[in-house]
Amino acid sequence: MLLSALLFVGSGRQEVIYVVNTGYQSMDSVKLADGTKVMLGAGSKLTYPQKFSGSNREVKLSGQAFFNVSPDKSHPFIVKTKKMDVTVMGTSFEIFSYDNDKEVEAVLLTGKVKVAISDNKKLEGKIYTLAPNEKLTYSEEKGVNLTNIDADAYSGWRKGKRMSFKNETLQMILNRLEKWYGQRIECDPQLAEYYRFTFTVHSEPLALILNYISHSAPLTYKMVGNNHYLIELKH
């Protein structure tokens, strides 16, 4: 984990802002000034103040994080990402929203969250309220989609600081493997949505994980470039 501190001076006061960056195959936990606990996934960046001030508790995220927010009804907790803003009072939820990704997610474990899409003028002003075990998925191409899931299992990675998948689609798994290993894994979307897998990643190299996938389904994989894999249907 790389922690940086920035000092901002304005309006007669000083404000210290922390920036936390996690590397590949790395998960790190952070405790904020209000007691909120954050678990960061690989390749993630969290920006937050040394002390919260004003009417809101606001942080910025690029990446994957699980938040366990300390309750404070008078000061909503807001997570701002490039594509969406998530507002809560006190609850636990996951956000998967890397700046350069076309598709982002918000998953609610407990409590209630409100999600506003921030990069689409057609959805401006529209608020989506999630109940426990609901997942919101957004992309500019497909819009917003709400589905019911087992949120505890879906966000199980937060418990052991390693990725764990339970009957998840290959598409979901590949998105997270790409962030974990810092490599590109290409697969036809229809194929990736069809097959499901259950396994936990410890310290195995990516090739070993892809080998397991190819032996558990009629799939094959090959390296097509530097840090670039392709998964296809076996012929």
Side-chain angles (χ1 to χ4, degrees):
M1 177 177 71
L2 177 62
L3 174 63
S4 303
L6 307 175
L7 177 62
F8 290 93
V9 180
S11 302
R13 66 184 181 90
Q14 295 182 347
E15 183 179 13
V16 177
I17 301 295
Y18 291 120
V19 181
V20 176
N21 290 275
T22 57
Y24 296 127
Q25 300 184 51
S26 173
M27 294 180 182
D28 289 290
S29 58
V30 178
K31 188 173 182 179
L32 308 185
D34 64 339
T36 293
K37 297 177 182 178
V38 187
M39 177 67 75
L40 290 169
S44 299
K45 176 182 177 181
L46 180 70
T47 304
Y48 61 96
Q50 183 184 44
K51 294 182 179 180
F52 290 108
S53 60
S55 58
N56 297 325
R57 296 173 287 165
E58 185 175 298
V59 302
K60 294 181 180 180
L61 172 72
S62 172
Q64 180 185 26
F66 185 90
F67 293 84
N68 195 336
V69 178
S70 293
D72 185 347
K73 292 184 178 180
S74 60
H75 297 88
F77 190 94
I78 302 174
V79 182
K80 300 183 76 70
T81 77
K82 190 173 182 179
K83 294 184 181 295
M84 63 182 179
D85 297 341
V86 179
T87 303
V88 306
M89 298 298 181
T91 185
S92 55
F93 61 100
E94 175 182 343
I95 294 178
F96 190 87
S97 182
Y98 290 80
D99 282 356
N100 296 323
D101 281 3
K102 294 181 179 179
E103 190 170 281
V104 298
E105 298 176 358
V107 179
L108 181 62
L109 178 61
T110 63
K112 184 172 70 175
V113 300
K114 295 180 180 180
V115 181
I117 306 303
S118 56
D119 78 332
N120 191 324
K121 291 186 177 180
K122 294 181 180 179
L123 299 176
E124 189 174 342
K126 189 170 180 59
I127 303 296
Y128 300 88
T129 301
L130 301 189
N133 293 313
E134 282 191 328
K135 177 181 73 167
L136 180 146
T137 306
Y138 164 72
S139 70
E140 189 173 352
E141 180 182 343
K142 300 177 183 178
V144 173
N145 184 38
L146 293 174
T147 54
N148 293 315
I149 62 167
D150 181 347
D152 187 51
Y154 196 86
S155 300
W157 62 274
R158 74 191 190 279
K159 299 176 183 178
K161 288 193 175 183
R162 55 174 173 254
M163 288 190 298
S164 180
F165 306 107
K166 184 178 179 181
N167 194 34
E168 298 295 351
T169 66
L170 181 59
Q171 184 64 64
M172 179 271 202
I173 292 171
L174 294 183
N175 287 342
R176 282 147 179 79
L177 289 178
E178 284 188 328
K179 307 306 181 187
W180 185 251
Y181 290 100
Q183 301 189 45
R184 184 183 175 193
I185 312 170
E186 190 177 353
C187 183
D188 180 87
Q190 289 186 328
L191 200 63
E193 287 293 340
Y194 181 77
Y195 290 101
R196 290 178 175 269
F197 299 89
T198 297
F199 63 91
T200 298
V201 177
H202 296 276
S203 57
E204 301 88 348
L206 177 57
L208 190 61
I209 299 297
L210 297 181
N211 188 57
Y212 161 77
I213 290 173
S214 69
H215 281 80
S216 302
L219 301 170
T220 185
Y221 75 95
K222 61 182 178 182
M223 181 173 278
V224 293
N226 188 33
N227 295 328
H228 184 184
Y229 289 88
L230 175 65
I231 297 179
E232 298 176 305
L233 195 64
K234 286 182 180 177
H235 299 294

